[in-house]
Amino acid sequence: QVQLVESGGGLVQAGGSLRLSCAASGRTFSSAAMGWFRQSPGKERDLVARIGRTGDNTYYTESVKGRFTISRDNAKNTVYLQMNSLKPEDTAVYYCAASWSSKWYSVRDYAYWGQGTQVTVSS
């Protein structure tokens, strides 16, 4: 079992920044790839960023490249998502997730999920 708890969401004006954190407990965190997903009302849950076990293999969806940074601290069992230059279209519930699969792009590749944290960007 793995428990994931997100924090750091909130309301911010366009152009502002937020840092999301996801604290993990349970199964060995350092052996999992971690992803951040987001979901807006009426839309599918999509991958935003993903980081490999050691932190040296990252992926970003095109719309957040250059604005978001994913990182992890295995000593603290925590993964982060630094979000800068936020736009209203970034508004969503953000979820972190853990994967031990060789695949990592789809929601079905992730075994454990946090409860989500709301990010709202006002224009």
Side-chain angles (χ1 to χ4, degrees):
Q1 275 292 71
V2 174
Q3 293 77 42
L4 301 173
V5 180
E6 302 98 336
S7 61
L11 173 64
V12 64
Q13 289 187 335
S17 297
L18 285 173
R19 188 175 83 153
L20 305 183
S21 299
C22 173
S25 61
R27 189 174 174 181
T28 305
F29 172 78
S30 60
S31 67
M34 298 296 297
W36 282 100
F37 288 74
R38 65 186 179 187
Q39 187 170 23
S40 303
K43 295 188 177 181
E44 294 184 349
R45 190 173 299 187
D46 293 325
L47 180 64
V48 174
R50 176 263 187 191
I51 189 165
R53 299 176 183 84
T54 61
D56 58 351
N57 184 6
T58 58
Y59 163 86
Y60 299 94
T61 195
E62 190 63 33
S63 63
V64 309
K65 285 182 180 177
R67 300 189 298 122
F68 290 12
T69 303
I70 189 171
S71 61
R72 67 189 297 164
D73 185 337
N74 286 344
K76 296 183 178 180
N77 283 3
T78 302
V79 62
Y80 306 97
L81 186 67
Q82 178 66 44
M83 305 186 295
N84 298 329
S85 301
L86 283 161
K87 303 176 180 181
E89 51 263 43
D90 295 317
T91 295
V93 177
Y94 283 71
Y95 299 88
C96 71
S99 173
W100 285 265
S101 171
S102 58
K103 302 177 181 180
W104 48 265
Y105 189 77
S106 171
V107 294
R108 59 181 174 270
D109 300 323
Y110 290 78
Y112 296 97
W113 293 82
Q115 82 289 352
T117 186
Q118 176 70 47
V119 171
T120 302
V121 184
S122 63
S123 57

